[in-house]
Coordinates of all heavy atoms in Angstrom, one line a residue:
L205 N -16.5 -0.4 -24.9 CA -15.2 -0.5 -24.5 C -14.2 -0.5 -25.7 O -13.3 0.3 -25.7 CB -14.9 -1.7 -23.6 CG -13.5 -1.9 -23.3 CD1 -12.8 -0.8 -22.4 CD2 -13.3 -3.3 -22.6
E206 N -14.6 -1.2 -26.7 CA -13.8 -1.4 -28.0 C -13.7 0.1 -28.5 O -12.7 0.5 -28.9 CB -14.4 -2.3 -28.9 CG -13.5 -2.6 -30.1 CD -12.0 -3.1 -29.8 OE1 -12.0 -4.0 -28.9 OE2 -11.2 -2.7 -30.4
Q207 N -14.7 0.7 -28.6 CA -14.8 2.1 -29.3 C -14.0 3.1 -28.4 O -13.3 3.8 -29.0 CB -16.4 2.5 -29.3 CG -17.3 1.8 -30.2 CD -18.7 2.2 -30.0 OE1 -19.0 3.3 -29.7 NE2 -19.6 1.3 -30.5
A208 N -14.1 3.0 -27.1 CA -13.3 3.9 -26.3 C -11.8 3.7 -26.4 O -11.0 4.6 -26.6 CB -13.8 3.7 -24.8
L209 N -11.4 2.3 -26.6 CA -10.0 2.2 -26.7 C -9.5 2.6 -28.0 O -8.4 3.2 -28.1 CB -9.8 0.6 -26.5 CG -9.9 0.0 -25.2 CD1 -9.9 -1.5 -25.2 CD2 -9.0 0.6 -24.1
E210 N -10.2 2.4 -29.0 CA -9.9 2.9 -30.5 C -9.9 4.4 -30.5 O -9.1 4.9 -31.3 CB -10.9 2.2 -31.4 CG -10.7 0.8 -31.6 CD -9.3 0.3 -32.1 OE1 -8.8 1.1 -32.9 OE2 -8.9 -0.7 -31.7
A211 N -10.7 5.1 -29.7 CA -10.8 6.5 -29.7 C -9.5 7.1 -29.1 O -9.3 8.3 -29.1 CB -12.0 7.0 -29.1
G212 N -8.7 6.4 -28.3 CA -7.5 6.7 -27.7 C -7.7 7.5 -26.3 O -6.8 8.4 -26.0
C213 N -8.7 7.0 -25.5 CA -8.8 7.6 -24.3 C -7.7 7.1 -23.2 O -7.0 6.2 -23.6 CB -10.2 7.2 -23.7 SG -10.3 5.4 -23.4
N231 N -9.0 -8.0 -20.0 CA -8.2 -8.7 -21.0 C -8.2 -7.9 -22.3 O -7.0 -7.7 -22.9 CB -8.7 -10.0 -21.2 CG -8.5 -11.1 -20.1 OD1 -7.6 -10.8 -19.3 ND2 -9.3 -12.1 -20.0
M232 N -9.2 -7.1 -22.7 CA -9.3 -6.4 -23.9 C -8.3 -5.2 -23.7 O -7.6 -4.8 -24.6 CB -10.7 -5.9 -24.2 CG -11.7 -7.1 -24.6 SD -13.4 -6.5 -24.7 CE -13.2 -5.2 -26.0
A233 N -8.5 -4.5 -22.6 CA -7.7 -3.4 -22.3 C -6.2 -3.7 -22.3 O -5.4 -3.0 -22.7 CB -8.1 -2.6 -21.0
D234 N -5.8 -4.9 -21.7 CA -4.6 -5.3 -21.7 C -3.9 -5.4 -22.9 O -2.7 -5.3 -23.3 CB -4.3 -6.6 -20.8 CG -4.4 -6.3 -19.3 OD1 -4.3 -5.1 -18.9 OD2 -4.6 -7.2 -18.6
A235 N -4.6 -6.1 -23.8 CA -4.3 -6.5 -25.3 C -4.1 -5.0 -25.9 O -3.0 -4.9 -26.8 CB -5.4 -7.3 -25.9
H236 N -4.9 -4.1 -25.8 CA -4.6 -2.7 -26.3 C -3.5 -2.2 -25.8 O -2.7 -1.5 -26.6 CB -6.0 -1.9 -26.0 CG -5.9 -0.6 -26.7 ND1 -6.5 -0.5 -27.9 CD2 -5.4 0.6 -26.4 CE1 -6.3 0.9 -28.3 NE2 -5.7 1.5 -27.4
R237 N -3.1 -2.2 -24.5 CA -1.9 -1.7 -23.8 C -0.7 -2.4 -24.7 O 0.3 -1.4 -25.1 CB -1.8 -2.1 -22.5 CG -2.8 -1.3 -21.6 CD -2.8 -1.9 -20.1 NE -3.4 -1.1 -19.1 CZ -3.7 -1.5 -18.0 NH1 -3.7 -2.9 -17.7 NH2 -4.4 -0.8 -17.0
R238 N -0.7 -3.6 -24.8 CA 0.5 -4.2 -25.5 C 0.6 -3.8 -26.9 O 1.7 -3.7 -27.4 CB 0.3 -5.8 -25.3 CG 0.5 -6.2 -23.9 CD 0.7 -7.8 -23.8 NE -0.6 -8.5 -24.3 CZ -1.7 -8.8 -23.6 NH1 -1.7 -8.5 -22.3 NH2 -2.7 -9.4 -24.1
R239 N -0.5 -3.8 -27.6 CA -0.6 -3.5 -29.0 C 0.0 -2.0 -29.2 O 0.9 -1.8 -30.2 CB -1.9 -3.7 -29.6 CG -2.0 -3.3 -31.1 CD -3.5 -3.5 -31.5 NE -3.6 -2.9 -32.8 CZ -4.8 -2.8 -33.4 NH1 -5.9 -3.1 -32.7 NH2 -5.0 -2.5 -34.7
F240 N -0.5 -1.2 -28.6 CA -0.1 0.2 -28.8 C 0.9 0.8 -27.8 O 1.3 1.9 -27.9 CB -1.3 1.1 -28.8 CG -2.4 0.8 -29.8 CD1 -3.4 -0.1 -29.6 CD2 -2.2 1.3 -31.2 CE1 -4.3 -0.3 -30.7 CE2 -3.0 1.0 -32.1 CZ -4.1 0.2 -32.0
R241 N 1.4 0.0 -26.9 CA 2.5 0.3 -26.0 C 1.9 1.8 -25.2 O 2.7 2.7 -25.1 CB 3.7 0.5 -26.6 CG 4.2 -0.7 -27.2 CD 5.6 -0.6 -27.7 NE 6.2 -1.9 -28.3 CZ 7.4 -2.0 -28.7 NH1 8.2 -1.0 -29.0 NH2 7.7 -3.2 -29.3
R242 N 0.8 1.8 -24.8 CA 0.3 2.9 -24.1 C -0.6 2.4 -22.9 O -1.2 1.3 -23.0 CB -0.6 3.9 -24.9 CG -1.8 3.4 -25.6 CD -2.4 4.3 -26.6 NE -2.8 5.4 -26.0 CZ -3.9 5.7 -25.4 NH1 -4.8 4.7 -25.3 NH2 -4.2 6.8 -24.9
D243 N -0.6 3.2 -21.7 CA -1.2 2.9 -20.6 C -2.7 3.2 -20.7 O -3.2 4.3 -21.3 CB -0.7 3.5 -19.4 CG -1.1 2.8 -18.0 OD1 -1.5 1.8 -18.2 OD2 -1.1 3.6 -17.0
I244 N -3.6 2.4 -20.1 CA -5.0 2.5 -19.9 C -5.3 2.3 -18.6 O -5.2 1.2 -18.0 CB -5.8 1.7 -21.0 CG1 -5.5 2.0 -22.4 CG2 -7.3 1.9 -20.7 CD1 -5.9 3.3 -23.0

Side-chain angles (χ1 to χ4, degrees):
L205 172 60
E206 185 64 38
Q207 294 172 21
L209 294 174
E210 291 298 325
C213 63
N231 288 335
M232 289 173 61
D234 282 343
H236 188 87
R237 285 167 168 162
R238 292 191 297 269
R239 178 184 173 191
F240 294 99
R241 297 183 180 181
R242 60 186 303 271
D243 194 24
I244 300 290

